[in-house]
Amino acid sequence: MKTPNIRVKTQGFRAVNQADLIIDGITLVAGENGCGKSSISKLLYFLYKTVSNYDILVKEKLFSSLQDILRFLDIVQQELTINLKDRNLRDEFRREISELRRGLYDSEFLEDELINWIRVVDKIEQIYTDSDLKSIKPSVAGKSMRLKYIIKDILKIENVDDEFSESFPKIKSLIERRFKEAINKIKSRPTSLFIEELKSVFSDGDLPNKFEVLEFDDLIVALDKHNLSIPYSIQNAIYIDTPMMISVEDSHNEHWNDLNELLLERGNKNNKFSSIISNEIIQGDVVVEEGIYSADDFKFKRNDGLVFNLLDVATGVKSFSILQLLLKKGILNDKTLLIIDEPESNLHPQWIIEYARIIVMLNKELGVKFFLASHNPDMVSAIRYISEKEGILENVNFYLAERKENKFSYDYKFLDKEIDPIFESFNIALDRINKYGI
């Protein structure tokens, strides 16, 4: 057996007692409702979102921690705009504070941004502590009590009677401390950030007893490992748990928002697979109109010339539309993991086969990796036999979640290419029909 690109091991997590999964092409897990398939999907998604976007996540948390200070600078900038005599200096302040917002995300090195933040505070300190106050109107010379109370809240101090000038070094020290914490995190990539993400995603706050990811047999992620390695085989992950997520604004589901941001990215590449979806399956084309993001941006242009808001078309069309838009944006490649819960959901039996065909061809020709959770015998069969016909069956692995006796806990059994055990589990439904229908 060849060494898999990615191997994921987890134990003791919600309904999952034990799972040891190969992610090396197309991985399909089957099992009854409540066996933990979606929990594994979320683990995989937020793992790769964290490790692949570590710097961005750290910057987001840094920006959040600096919000009160930034608001203070905005307030000061407004007062100075009103009271500064020097118009050029007023404009300079407004521009510099705007650049602080953008710089945290645009700048590659936080060390450079720290210098910019300190420079702005230094400039404000100089104005407010200027003994001559030549650059500022006399009405501001009193250094308002309001600003003192704001500083008290930022610094978490009790006394507001200190000299105003004494507050600026403390603010600069606080900024430096938070920047240095972020810089150190980017350098060392502690696992704690991933753990924080998991606790925010899973409402009960429970973590797996064990969660490990191996790449070419080397351990790159573990909850008890101090640092997260940078992955190679998978560099971005996309999670689709329902086609209804498309064009939903401000969802409480973070992965829904992430997907819609991807779908709104610029790009409209013509490619073989988006043409197959348009011409052979949904008989139309999906486009995103440029403008301010809203649900109305997504349009379905049917081949007969009629145009519909994508919200108003059949759910099955939405399922293919998501794939088509990802293809047009050039997002799918051999370093992508596409996680799909119940891809057959809301699809006509004929379209289930077509969807499976697209999955197989995307793996064969683009190298896209898939993690699929399915209940449907047609989807399971189609993935198995189309993969065999296309000569990529070696890239496909099937698993079945088997319930432990008298427990709400499941072991994920490796089936390799064998799907008969999955069909045996599906046959339970026929037994129920015989029980209730005869």
Side-chain angles (χ1 to χ4, degrees), residues 36-245:
K37 299 187 300 297
S38 294
S39 295
I40 294 175
S41 294
K42 288 182 179 179
L43 272 176
L44 285 172
Y45 176 70
F46 285 98
L47 164 71
Y48 280 102
K49 177 178 178 178
T50 303
V51 297
S52 300
N53 301 286
Y54 201 96
D55 292 12
I56 294 173
L57 290 173
V58 170
K59 289 177 181 179
E60 287 177 352
K61 291 181 181 296
L62 173 61
F63 185 77
S64 177
S65 74
L66 294 171
Q67 278 298 296
D68 285 346
I69 297 175
L70 191 59
R71 177 56 61 92
F72 168 70
L73 296 179
D74 278 332
I75 292 169
V76 170
Q77 180 265 134
Q78 181 193 33
E79 291 203 2
L80 294 180
T81 297
I82 296 170
N83 294 287
L84 274 175
K85 299 174 183 178
D86 187 336
R87 180 175 179 179
N88 291 331
L89 190 56
R90 295 203 308 261
D91 294 341
E92 184 179 315
F93 265 119
R94 189 182 300 112
R95 183 175 61 255
E96 287 181 338
I97 292 175
S98 295
E99 288 174 354
L100 293 184
R101 283 190 173 84
R102 294 193 302 270
L104 281 177
Y105 296 99
D106 295 343
S107 178
E108 184 176 355
F109 299 105
L110 287 180
E111 290 88 345
D112 295 337
E113 286 311 303
L114 172 57
I115 293 171
N116 294 335
W117 277 72
I118 297 301
R119 187 183 65 246
V120 171
V121 178
D122 278 340
K123 191 175 293 186
I124 292 172
E125 179 182 13
Q126 184 177 359
I127 290 174
Y128 272 96
T129 58
D130 182 356
S131 59
D132 294 330
L133 293 169
K134 294 176 181 177
S135 61
I136 196 167
K137 293 181 180 179
S139 59
V140 187
K143 296 97 176 179
S144 75
M145 184 59 69
R146 175 182 178 231
L147 290 182
K148 287 188 176 183
Y149 273 99
I150 292 172
I151 290 173
K152 172 192 171 185
D153 183 70
I154 291 172
L155 298 177
K156 309 304 179 190
I157 57 178
E158 296 297 327
N159 193 355
V160 296
D161 296 324
D162 292 341
E163 280 295 320
F164 195 68
S165 59
E166 295 176 4
S167 302
F168 289 100
K170 295 176 182 178
I171 290 175
K172 287 185 285 187
S173 177
L174 178 59
I175 293 171
E176 287 176 345
R177 187 163 63 251
R178 289 181 176 169
F179 264 91
K180 287 177 180 177
E181 288 172 356
I183 291 167
N184 288 334
K185 278 188 177 180
I186 288 175
K187 289 178 179 177
S188 61
R189 296 171 63 88
T191 304
S192 57
L193 183 61
F194 175 47
I195 293 173
E196 289 172 18
E197 288 292 301
L198 290 185
K199 287 181 177 179
S200 69
V201 170
F202 295 102
S203 57
D204 51 21
D206 286 342
L207 297 175
N209 293 337
K210 175 182 178 180
F211 182 69
E212 296 179 349
V213 179
L214 295 90
E215 186 171 63
F216 304 115
D217 275 350
D218 283 349
L219 184 67
I220 63 170
V221 173
L223 294 184
D224 57 359
K225 189 172 180 275
H226 291 302
N227 310 99
L228 297 172
S229 299
I230 298 173
Y232 177 77
S233 300
I234 297 172
Q235 297 179 17
N236 71 303
I238 300 165
Y239 179 29
I240 305 169
D241 61 355
T242 169
M244 298 304 293
M245 68 200 303

Side-chain angles (χ1 to χ4, degrees), residues 217-358:
D217 275 350
D218 283 349
L219 184 67
I220 63 170
V221 173
L223 294 184
D224 57 359
K225 189 172 180 275
H226 291 302
N227 310 99
L228 297 172
S229 299
I230 298 173
Y232 177 77
S233 300
I234 297 172
Q235 297 179 17
N236 71 303
I238 300 165
Y239 179 29
I240 305 169
D241 61 355
T242 169
M244 298 304 293
M245 68 200 303
I246 191 170
S247 75
V248 172
E249 301 177 47
D250 298 324
S251 165
H252 67 281
N253 291 316
E254 192 174 330
H255 59 285
W256 288 23
N257 298 328
D258 294 342
L259 178 67
N260 279 297
E261 285 183 16
L262 278 180
L263 299 181
L264 286 165
E265 288 185 2
R266 292 185 180 277
N268 189 20
K269 300 179 180 179
N270 293 320
N271 61 74
K272 169 183 175 181
F273 296 106
S274 64
S275 297
I276 289 174
I277 292 172
S278 287
N279 300 325
E280 299 182 20
I281 304 174
I282 62 175
Q283 302 297 306
D285 195 30
V286 180
V287 297
V288 180
E289 295 186 342
E290 293 188 9
I292 299 174
Y293 168 53
S294 72
D296 293 332
D297 291 337
F298 295 91
K299 302 293 183 183
F300 176 61
K301 297 184 177 181
R302 206 166 63 186
N303 286 349
D304 60 4
L306 294 180
V307 179
F308 304 90
N309 188 315
L310 196 58
L311 286 174
D312 299 329
V313 303
T315 310
V317 173
K318 292 186 179 74
S319 296
F320 282 98
S321 298
I322 293 173
L323 291 182
Q324 188 181 47
L325 285 170
L326 291 172
L327 286 161
K328 285 185 174 186
K329 309 297 180 183
I331 293 168
L332 303 181
N333 55 53
D334 65 336
K335 300 299 187 295
T336 300
L337 174 62
L338 190 48
I339 304 164
I340 312 178
D341 275 351
E342 301 181 25
E344 69 276 354
S345 179
N346 301 297
L347 294 178
H348 184 278
Q350 177 182 330
W351 275 14
I352 290 175
I353 309 306
E354 296 290 356
Y355 201 96
R357 176 170 71 108
I358 294 295

